Amino acid sequence: NGSSEFLSNAAASFIGMLYNRQLLCYMGTNGIAAYGVIMYVNFIFVGIFFGYAMGVSPIISYQYGARNQAELCNLFRRSLSLLAGASLILTLLAELSAGLLAGIFVGYNPQLYALTVRGMRIYSVAYLFMGFNIFGSALFTALGNGKVSAILSLVRSVLLQVVLVLLLPLILGGTSLWMIAALVETGAILLTGFLVTRYREKYRL
């Protein structure tokens, strides 16, 4: 049942190396440095989504096991509302604070600073959907459906990322590497929405 979490963590290192290879090829060492800054900042924002998903999962599991459908449905709806609000706030915060955050790390180099700010603002669009995708995978784990949770993690953490990292720069150039996170989360939320809708009646969410 924890296979989705394993896939997400195991894929992170491989995807990071793949990104570095492509960034070095298309943007040079400045691209790798900018990506490193974006990832440091990303840990803070993603941590909020993961923290909520991990915190609410045991409650969902308990209510599901107790067959308390009213409370399970209430948790699901409240979670969607909270995630919608948090996604908007975090996206706006990331966009508005990109210059300040980049300046903390690379303010000494104007060229690198400009590249980092631009990349961060493009990357930040991913926060609009990221929370829902993280919650979707955690939801199915909490409901004991490790298979669906693993599918979501595999598609989001591995398949979409690998395909886009390898192919998108060939079509749109190196700058498109900053767009990949947003495109991955957009594709993943379509799959998450489809699977949640498909299983919603079964779990009475």
Side-chain angles (χ1 to χ4, degrees), residues 60-122:
I60 292 174
S61 291
Y62 175 82
Q63 299 298 345
Y64 176 64
R67 297 183 180 179
N68 189 346
Q69 298 302 143
E71 187 57 30
L72 182 62
C73 186
N74 182 45
L75 276 169
F76 177 72
R77 291 178 179 176
R78 286 192 177 189
S79 293
L80 293 183
S81 297
L82 284 169
L83 287 169
S87 297
L88 288 172
I89 292 171
L90 291 177
T91 302
L92 287 172
L93 183 61
E95 293 286 343
L96 295 174
S97 64
L100 174 64
L101 294 171
I104 295 173
F105 292 94
V106 294
Y108 59 87
N109 186 324
Q111 185 179 1
L112 179 55
Y113 170 79
L115 179 63
T116 304
V117 171
R118 183 182 182 188
M120 196 176 295
R121 285 180 174 155
I122 297 173

Side-chain angles (χ1 to χ4, degrees), residues 68-177:
N68 189 346
Q69 298 302 143
E71 187 57 30
L72 182 62
C73 186
N74 182 45
L75 276 169
F76 177 72
R77 291 178 179 176
R78 286 192 177 189
S79 293
L80 293 183
S81 297
L82 284 169
L83 287 169
S87 297
L88 288 172
I89 292 171
L90 291 177
T91 302
L92 287 172
L93 183 61
E95 293 286 343
L96 295 174
S97 64
L100 174 64
L101 294 171
I104 295 173
F105 292 94
V106 294
Y108 59 87
N109 186 324
Q111 185 179 1
L112 179 55
Y113 170 79
L115 179 63
T116 304
V117 171
R118 183 182 182 188
M120 196 176 295
R121 285 180 174 155
I122 297 173
Y123 187 97
S124 297
V125 177
Y127 299 133
L128 285 172
F129 305 124
M130 190 179 291
F132 294 103
N133 291 323
I134 292 172
F135 173 74
S137 180
L139 173 67
F140 283 106
T141 298
L143 295 172
N145 195 332
K147 180 180 178 181
V148 172
S149 182
I151 290 172
L152 288 172
S153 289
L154 180 65
V155 171
R156 175 176 173 265
S157 301
V158 183
L159 296 181
L160 287 175
Q161 297 235 39
V162 170
V163 170
L164 289 173
V165 169
L166 292 176
L167 298 182
L168 201 61
L170 296 175
I171 301 170
L172 301 177
T175 305
S176 64
L177 287 165

